[in-house]
Amino acid sequence: MKRHRLLPALALALGAAPVLADSHAGYPIQTTPMTGGEGTVEQSDTNAYSLPQANLSMTKRLDFSVGNSFFRNPWVEAPASTDARDGLGPLFNTNSCQGCHLKDGRGNPPSADAPSVSLFLRLAVPADPDTDAEILRVHGFKPAPVYGSQLQTSALPAARPEADLIVEWQPLTRTLADGTQVALRQPRYRIENPNYGPLPDNLLMSPRVAPQMIGMGLLEAIPIDTLAAQADPDDRDGDGISGKLNQVWDLASQQTVPGRFGWKAGEPSVHQQSMGAFAGDMGLTSTLKPTTDCTPEQQCERFASGGEPEVSDKVASFVTFYAKSLAVPARRNLDAPSVRRGAELFNESGCAACHRPTYQTGEVAERPDLSHQTIWPYTDLLLHDMGPGLADGRPEFLADGNEWRTPPLWGIGLAQVVNPLAGYLHDGRARTLEEAILWHGGEAQAAADRYSRLPAEDRQALIDFLQSL
């Protein structure tokens, strides 16, 4: 473990300032490898996303290991001798957290001959703001009749999965200013073989691929006032960027609070997101989420329970701690001329307007490893209109069908090292970082157009910068 403590130890020995950065085009440029603050780890292989914060105490590392075991190992049908890990299903998408977050990294769309595991469909139907006001306040959307809020494509042997998810790809070509042609692919989603009656004609479907897990505790530690200060929902400064905070229902406090996790920032905390995944992805109840996505028509109560709740408070605490404590890997190749040039182009092109480079975390009770850290996540955690090309048409609290939360870019250069099949964007459609850039529309259209007009050498420099993150 000593190797992973080198970076923070070196930074402290040199008396590193809170922010190590140059400035260009009004945004800071990272000049330190310490992307995740003092908890940064020097790891760039297939396990790059799976290490604990480097500044985590030895006692807390034991908690991390326990949480890792419940995150990684499969849950099973109840009753079972493994009573701490039973109660799976009866309807589910996967039997372990790691089944979606492969090596704690990004998932990928299904191949032509494989079922979907790390990509699933969120479901809804259009809601009436008046008659469905309470549903919208608590859920942020109106679940589909019978099929609920998520399509479960797996089931216990004595149950039937909800349906099959089919993804087909339509090829597209984008021609850049210098004549270079870039092959894109647009997904088309289809639900076949529904087992619980016909699907509603007005069904809304939102594909979601599992995101990487690194740095979530640090993102939660960014003061909400800092995020709110970046929001400009009415674009009063006229720069074409109008990010806004989502406002979501917090199950623990029973009130509406800002959201910052999930593809549409629909969750307020790592804990609620984790318990939501247990309920929606694996059919497991917890104190925070005492019901799953099963509806009365599916009669899930006839199957044995793994306990009430199935995810005990102790296990839930360990898993949440684990999810909050996964370290961010260090930046690489900072001194390469193309990477330095790419960082400047990132700012000049307007990418940094949404992918805000750096923050200082606040005080986190009993977590000094997350407190007062200078971090470089490259996100504003706000909702932005990304245009019709990426729209899913499914609202979630304040997020409309065109809006997505800006995803953090830290560690993105290692995404396909951790999972070679990993895709980019909310549904994994982009096979390369260049494809991901070219899909940007709406508020990001101007930045994507600037990229398209760059000469080939500068385009490569910008990609080199992203690969260094």
Side-chain angles (χ1 to χ4, degrees):
M1 195 61 67
K2 289 182 179 178
R3 181 169 180 258
H4 310 307
R5 294 178 178 171
L6 283 175
L7 286 171
L10 179 60
L12 292 173
L14 294 176
V19 177
L20 295 178
D22 293 333
S23 180
H24 185 85
Y27 300 101
I29 289 181
Q30 183 180 353
T31 58
T32 169
M34 310 291 290
T35 301
E38 295 167 13
T40 304
V41 293
E42 189 182 9
Q43 190 88 4
S44 57
D45 59 13
T46 186
N47 294 313
Y49 294 165
S50 298
L51 297 175
Q53 292 271 123
N55 56 348
L56 202 61
S57 69
M58 190 55 66
T59 301
K60 294 297 185 181
R61 285 172 184 265
L62 295 176
D63 293 344
F64 179 91
S65 295
V66 174
N68 182 30
S69 70
F70 284 102
F71 190 90
R72 184 183 66 248
N73 292 323
W75 290 68
V76 298
E77 181 179 0
S81 57
T82 311
D83 58 0
R85 200 179 275 115
D86 70 348
L88 177 70
L91 304 178
F92 57 94
N93 292 97
T94 183
N95 63 358
S96 73
C97 306
Q98 196 77 251
C100 286
H101 302 277
L102 306 175
K103 287 186 172 292
D104 306 292
R106 291 170 177 256
N108 52 268
S111 61
D113 55 352
S116 178
V117 175
S118 54
L119 178 142
F120 57 82
L121 289 182
R122 289 278 172 86
L123 306 176
V125 292
D128 184 296
D130 296 321
T131 59
D132 298 318
E134 181 62 15
I135 292 174
L136 293 175
R137 182 177 69 87
V138 175
H139 293 281
F141 58 90
K142 185 176 181 178
V146 180
Y147 289 89
S149 61
Q150 183 169 316
L151 186 72
Q152 275 89 31
T153 53
S154 296
L156 297 178
R160 295 173 297 164
E162 289 186 322
D164 297 325
L165 167 61
I166 307 298
V167 184
E168 296 177 340
W169 300 98
Q170 176 183 345
L172 300 173
T173 301
R174 184 71 55 83
T175 302
L176 308 185
D178 64 2
T180 299
Q181 292 191 328
V182 180
L184 306 179
R185 59 175 188 171
Q186 183 167 16
R188 301 296 185 191
Y189 300 94
R190 194 170 72 251
I191 298 175
E192 292 188 348
N193 305 317
N195 283 314
Y196 296 89
L199 296 162
D201 293 334
N202 57 350
L203 184 67
L204 304 175
M205 300 185 297
S206 179
R208 311 283 177 92
V209 71
Q212 61 201 38
M213 299 284 295
I214 57 173
M216 293 179 68
L218 293 167
L219 294 176
E220 189 172 277
I222 300 172
I224 198 63
D225 290 347
T226 301
L227 301 178
Q230 299 175 155
D232 184 19
D234 300 319
D235 191 21
R236 292 183 178 180
D237 60 9
D239 66 353
I241 307 298
S242 55
K244 67 183 181 186
L245 277 169
N246 206 348
Q247 298 293 329
V248 308
W249 187 248
D250 185 281
L251 292 169
S253 64
Q254 291 290 292
Q255 62 182 332
T256 296
V257 301
R260 66 176 82 192
F261 296 106
W263 284 107
K264 285 182 179 280
E267 300 289 1
S269 65
V270 176
H271 182 61
Q272 185 163 313
Q273 184 183 44
S274 299
M275 296 308 102
F278 272 124
D281 301 349
M282 291 183 279
L284 295 164
T285 61
S286 62
T287 298
L288 192 70
K289 285 273 197 177
T291 59
T292 68
D293 199 41
C294 275
T295 61
E297 295 86 350
Q298 294 167 334
Q299 300 179 347
C300 292
E301 68 278 358
R302 62 193 174 92
F303 291 86
S305 168
E308 294 190 12
E310 290 162 325
V311 180
S312 71
D313 291 349
K314 193 171 184 178
V315 169
S317 178
F318 279 127
V319 171
T320 298
F321 182 86
Y322 174 78
K324 286 186 176 183
S325 305
L326 285 161
V328 179
R331 281 280 308 274
R332 301 159 308 285
N333 304 320
L334 271 77
D335 295 329
S338 64
V339 171
R340 293 202 305 269
R341 174 60 177 155
E344 295 173 352
L345 291 165
F346 185 83
N347 289 359
E348 290 174 8
S349 298
C351 305
C354 298
H355 292 282
R356 297 291 179 111
T358 188
Y359 297 88
Q360 189 84 6
T361 65
E363 178 71 24
V364 182
E366 300 180 1
R367 291 300 301 267
D369 57 302
L370 302 176
S371 300
H372 309 297
Q373 300 294 315
T374 300
I375 61 174
W376 296 83
Y378 296 90
T379 177
D380 59 10
L381 297 179
L382 302 179
L383 296 170
H384 294 277
D385 183 339
M386 295 300 292
L390 294 177
D392 65 348
R394 180 185 183 272
E396 190 168 339
F397 294 102
L398 297 187
D400 66 28
N402 279 24
E403 291 177 320
W404 300 95
R405 182 203 69 162
T406 306
L409 296 182
W410 54 9
I412 197 169
L414 298 171
Q416 292 180 340
V417 174
V418 173
N419 175 14
L421 298 177
Y424 306 102
L425 302 175
H426 66 278
D427 54 6
R429 70 176 67 188
R431 294 157 293 188
T432 66
L433 292 170
E434 181 170 66
E435 287 184 41
I437 293 171
L438 296 176
W439 271 110
H440 282 52
E443 296 174 45
Q445 186 65 60
D449 289 345
R450 292 185 192 105
Y451 174 85
S452 299
R453 293 193 295 267
L454 291 174
E457 184 177 3
D458 281 351
R459 295 198 305 271
Q460 185 58 55
L462 201 154
I463 298 299
D464 289 344
F465 162 72
L466 294 175
Q467 291 284 7
S468 78
L469 295 180

